[in-house]
Amino acid sequence: MTFDLKASAALLLAVIFFGTQGPAQVRPNLSGGDPTDTQLIAKKLYERLVSTKISLDDPILAQMTALLEKGDKLGAARIATADPNFYNTTVKTMALEMSNRDETIKVPLNDMVATIIGITRDKLDARSMLTGNFYYRAPSTVGSTLLSVDMRTGFMYANDHYQALDNYRIDLMKNLYRVNSQPLVIGDGTTDVIIGENPDYAGVLTSRNFMVEHATGGTNRRIVEYAFREFLCVPINQWADSGASDARVGRDVNRFPGGDHNKYLTTCKACHSVMDGFRGAFALWTAGSGVVGNSQAIPNADQLPGPKYSRNFKVFPDGYVTVDNSFVNFANRPANASLFGWRGDNTTSGNGAKDFGKLLANSRRFSQCMAKRVYKTVCKKPLPADKEKDLLSTWGDEFEASGYMLKNLFESISVKPECLG
Amino acid sequence: MLNKKIKHLAIIVPTSALLIFGFSNCGKPSATNSSASSSSAEGGVSGSTPPPSTPGSSTPPVDQTPLVVSGAAAIMTGDQFYSSMFKLTGMSLPTDQIHYEYQARYAAFPAVSDILQVNAPALLAFTSLAGEVCQTLVTREEAITDGQRIFFNGINFSAGTASISDASYQAIIRGMARSFWTRNENTTELTAFQTFRKDFEMDFSAAEITQKSSSEKLMMATCAAILSSLDSVVF
């Protein structure tokens, strides 16, 4: 994290004008007694959903306690999720971990995380995380705080806008708003960057953050790996299938590693058969120097796969040549079909990031993965190994029945006996 | 020199206090409380029915089982601690000092909620940041009329620690315990703070003990000790 002088000066001005006094505080009741058992339960529920402590004399705690005493656990959870820190801290923590290769929370806020927070707050269908054509941002000023809104440094070439939201601890619940249509850089003008619309949108998969993390350099295979890892909770070694067709494995994969074809058949093919089958979805996408591009967005541009798809083409010239953004789902043999639970109009193939996102979003695995992530964020312990499969199956179904509402998912999981018990 | 001493005390004393207060009233943490890995896969799902195409309006049956919580605990990350402190002390915007301290300590804060990952640098990071927040809190409340403050009522900041009665000091501790720990302090903790106060005041000369700065520093150190203790950073 860095902090520049201009931002510091702006911060100081804001402090001078508005001081550091926040919302009305709770005055402690100095003659009050120790918390009751129910208050302690309410406290724990609040802390885990909101990720902050709460005063014993806070009326919110009293409201939650009263509801718990009536047996209304969900009602108590809903009180907690109305707190801004549910979005600013708890949901943010879950999304931060999904937003980078190291899966660490020690990264700045970014467009992907802001969008996930917005989807949760606005009770959008969570599948729009992988299918939507929008993103979330804050206005140019919040109070007297000026935020970077220059399209080049704030959104398209750098992350300054979201970094500023972090630096100034801006209330994301109150200030994020949705912008329909994802922007893409399609050129550099004399005075400013030229922005076009994203024709191949796929929610946060085509956000600047996700693309910069996984489409910078390489061969666009990492996008597939991390899409599965973050949104289906399945790392590559668990969906590798050496029995799948290698019809789409690229020319850069050696079929005789160390002179041994069997090694390819038993090891390399297992991952590449599935991964390369999907890789074509991102054939027209690339990222570099912090900016993301898609040739479909550029008027009159050739709609041809980028040079990543021809890298090291002499390794095995008879390998698959990517000619368009079609993809094939080779993760559909019995074990993987059962693991992912593919559903929808077309589960065998598609075109572009858009169809790829829909395939993942409509799988049963996506619902279960969201339940697992919420459980980890709120309950902070492993799922019981002997019950994990059944629990996630049930919770995934409940999530779908609620209309894929992430906020509801947080509330319902927080009051499960397996969570805080 | 005095500022350095206070900062030293503000780090050392609360850190010592952590050993006393650390587990006095929080639930026993589970021995294996590591956060779930997102990389483990489970067995699969069966069937290939179409996905729900429209948001469902059905809700699951209401579960009437009473909610039970265990003593399992997790540690706050830096961002969570930052948000928690701001909420509890009523701040909305970080001062430069708070922001710089947070950045300086950022790497030391826990990155995961696993309480077994807590180490000395993390504890010092909590204490240092709490110190800056408490400094700002003291400055803010000094400017408010006594009786209208949230935490430091009964404190005559102009007169030094010599003017702070035991009852006033206990009230400060009670108020912060209820706000930051969601409970009252117990007898052991109160005694520890009273001992801390005596030790703290021994470092001041007879003249310094009557000055405003001694009260400010005592309140800041007390606040930092409570705000950064394990009960404030474990949840």
Side-chain angles (χ1 to χ4, degrees):
Chain A
M1 286 172 70
T2 58
F3 196 76
D4 64 84
L5 199 53
K6 272 192 225 172
S8 177
L11 184 57
L12 184 58
L13 276 173
V15 169
I16 290 168
F17 280 120
F18 291 96
T20 56
Q21 182 70 45
Q25 272 178 272
V26 175
R27 187 176 293 280
N29 173 10
L30 302 183
S31 56
D34 267 317
T36 63
D37 286 347
T38 311
Q39 280 180 310
L40 287 174
I41 294 171
K43 164 186 176 290
K44 187 82 160 187
L45 183 61
Y46 179 92
E47 288 173 352
R48 287 300 179 86
L49 280 170
V50 183
S51 302
T52 65
K53 291 290 186 173
I54 185 168
S55 168
L56 182 53
D57 303 301
D58 196 318
I60 298 288
L61 192 70
Q63 288 172 35
M64 290 178 67
T65 304
L67 286 167
L68 287 174
E69 282 167 352
K70 288 183 201 165
D72 187 0
K73 295 178 290 192
L74 273 178
R78 282 187 200 114
I79 301 264
T81 56
D83 191 298
N85 279 319
F86 167 66
Y87 301 97
N88 297 340
T89 312
T90 304
V91 178
K92 179 183 164 190
T93 299
M94 183 183 85
L96 278 172
E97 204 176 298
M98 297 165 69
S99 76
N100 61 93
R101 231 192 288 186
D102 294 329
E103 295 177 322
T104 175
I105 60 165
K106 290 197 171 183
V107 290
L109 183 75
N110 53 65
D111 58 346
M112 173 176 165
V113 173
T115 299
I116 292 174
I117 292 172
I119 287 171
T120 308
R121 183 197 68 188
D122 294 347
K123 295 188 180 177
L124 301 183
D125 186 322
R127 289 174 294 178
S128 61
M129 213 186 284
L130 301 178
T131 61
N133 183 17
F134 55 83
Y135 70 103
Y136 278 77
R137 54 164 286 179
S140 53
T141 53
V142 174
S144 67
T145 307
L146 301 171
L147 300 171
S148 167
V149 291
D150 174 80
M151 282 309 285
R152 181 189 296 272
T153 56
F155 299 94
M156 310 311 298
Y157 281 73
N159 191 47
D160 290 2
H161 177 74
Y162 300 96
Q163 176 77 71
L165 299 184
D166 253 356
N167 288 349
Y168 295 114
R169 311 293 295 182
I170 297 295
D171 187 336
L172 303 174
M173 184 189 97
K174 287 187 186 139
N175 293 291
L176 286 180
Y177 68 92
R178 187 170 83 196
V179 179
N180 291 322
S181 179
Q182 292 182 342
L184 273 180
V185 173
I186 59 173
D188 237 321
T190 49
T191 54
D192 207 347
V193 62
I194 302 172
I195 308 288
E197 288 188 2
N198 178 2
D200 189 24
Y201 51 84
V204 300
L205 290 179
T206 49
S207 65
R208 177 186 170 272
N209 179 80
F210 193 85
M211 278 292 175
V212 165
E213 279 289 318
H214 303 304
T216 298
T219 56
N220 276 6
R221 289 178 170 103
R222 201 164 59 242
I223 308 174
V224 176
E225 180 192 356
Y226 274 83
F228 274 68
R229 192 180 173 91
E230 304 307 340
F231 299 100
L232 303 184
C233 297
V234 185
I236 188 171
N237 61 308
Q238 287 168 5
W239 48 265
D241 182 2
S242 57
S245 166
D246 62 350
R248 288 259 179 155
V249 176
R251 295 176 290 175
D252 56 343
V253 178
N254 193 344
R255 276 28 171 207
F256 297 88
D260 183 359
H261 187 55
N262 272 329
K263 185 169 182 185
Y264 164 78
L265 289 174
T266 56
T267 309
C268 313
K269 183 189 168 202
C271 292
H272 278 287
S273 57
V274 177
M275 189 158 51
D276 286 28
F278 283 118
R279 181 172 79 129
F282 299 95
L284 304 181
W285 284 94
T286 192
S289 303
V291 68
V292 177
N294 182 315
S295 55
Q296 281 178 297
I298 302 171
N300 305 317
D302 290 330
Q303 305 295 300
L304 295 171
K308 289 180 181 182
Y309 288 78
S310 308
R311 200 165 280 163
N312 295 322
F313 66 93
K314 292 182 183 176
V315 171
F316 187 73
D318 292 333
Y320 179 72
V321 180
T322 305
V323 297
D324 57 24
N325 66 354
S326 66
F327 67 84
V328 178
N329 177 8
F330 288 128
N332 56 6
R333 283 168 20 93
N336 274 338
S338 174
L339 176 65
F340 293 113
W342 303 116
R343 297 178 296 193
D345 297 332
N346 188 356
T347 61
T348 57
S349 63
N351 286 84
K354 207 187 278 188
D355 285 350
F356 178 79
K358 276 187 205 155
L359 178 69
L360 267 59
N362 286 324
S363 69
R364 283 196 73 197
R365 190 73 206 173
F366 171 73
S367 311
Q368 294 172 7
C369 180
M370 291 301 105
K372 186 172 184 181
R373 289 203 170 275
V374 166
Y375 180 88
K376 178 185 173 186
T377 303
V378 175
C379 314
K380 303 193 191 296
K381 61 183 179 180
L383 277 160
D386 56 335
K387 298 178 188 167
E388 188 170 342
K389 176 185 165 186
D390 291 335
L391 284 174
L392 290 181
S393 179
T394 304
W395 296 346
D397 290 343
E398 288 175 7
F399 178 47
E400 292 176 11
S402 77
Y404 290 86
M405 300 287 129
L406 273 172
K407 183 169 180 284
N408 290 18
L409 186 63
F410 273 93
E411 290 159 359
S412 68
I413 285 187
S414 70
V415 298
K416 301 282 186 200
E418 294 85 2
C419 184
L420 299 182
Chain B
M1 176 60 185
L2 186 60
N3 281 342
K4 276 192 187 168
K5 189 183 288 188
I6 297 302
K7 191 164 183 185
H8 177 73
L9 281 169
I11 293 171
I12 298 301
V13 173
T15 305
S16 306
L18 287 173
L19 296 174
I20 300 165
F21 304 132
F23 290 96
S24 61
N25 255 16
C26 75
K28 297 182 178 55
S30 169
T32 53
N33 204 27
S34 56
S35 56
S37 160
S38 65
S39 62
S40 66
E42 305 75 37
V45 299
S46 59
S48 56
T49 54
S53 55
T54 53
S57 58
S58 62
T59 51
V62 175
D63 177 8
Q64 297 288 344
T65 317
L67 187 58
V68 173
V69 300
S70 71
I75 193 82
M76 284 187 176
T77 63
D79 189 49
Q80 289 166 342
F81 181 58
Y82 204 152
S83 298
S84 188
M85 279 195 307
F86 265 49
K87 176 192 165 66
L88 296 173
T89 57
M91 291 193 201
S92 62
L93 203 62
T95 61
D96 276 356
Q97 289 82 0
I98 291 171
H99 185 82
Y100 289 138
E101 189 67 31
Y102 180 64
Q103 284 212 318
R105 301 285 175 179
Y106 186 66
F109 285 115
V112 294
S113 298
D114 184 359
I115 200 164
L116 298 177
Q117 301 297 321
V118 172
N119 51 32
L123 295 176
L124 285 174
F126 287 130
T127 309
S128 292
L129 188 58
E132 292 296 344
V133 170
C134 288
Q135 182 66 69
T136 304
L137 181 64
V138 166
T139 304
R140 187 180 81 202
E141 293 225 334
E142 263 188 275
I144 300 172
T145 310
D146 187 12
Q148 305 297 317
R149 301 169 184 156
I150 301 291
F151 294 109
F152 300 118
N153 283 308
I155 304 299
N156 181 355
F157 284 102
S158 307
T161 63
S163 69
I164 301 175
S165 67
D166 285 348
S168 291
Y169 190 57
Q170 183 177 354
I172 303 297
I173 292 163
R174 170 60 58 90
M176 288 193 183
R178 291 182 75 83
S179 295
F180 305 160
W181 293 344
T182 324
R183 61 172 175 85
N184 291 336
E185 79 290 357
N186 60 36
T187 317
T188 308
E189 290 158 346
L190 178 60
T191 305
F193 269 110
Q194 287 164 340
T195 306
F196 159 66
R197 178 185 173 179
K198 287 195 180 78
D199 292 343
F200 187 88
E201 287 170 341
M202 278 169 58
D203 280 334
F204 291 95
S205 67
E208 285 168 339
I209 208 79
T210 61
Q211 288 171 8
K212 165 182 165 179
S213 59
S214 67
S215 293
E216 286 174 347
K217 288 173 173 65
L218 176 62
M219 293 301 109
M220 191 275 282
T222 304
C223 169
I226 299 176
L227 190 55
S228 63
S229 68
L230 278 176
D231 264 10
S232 295
V233 305
V234 164
F235 64 145

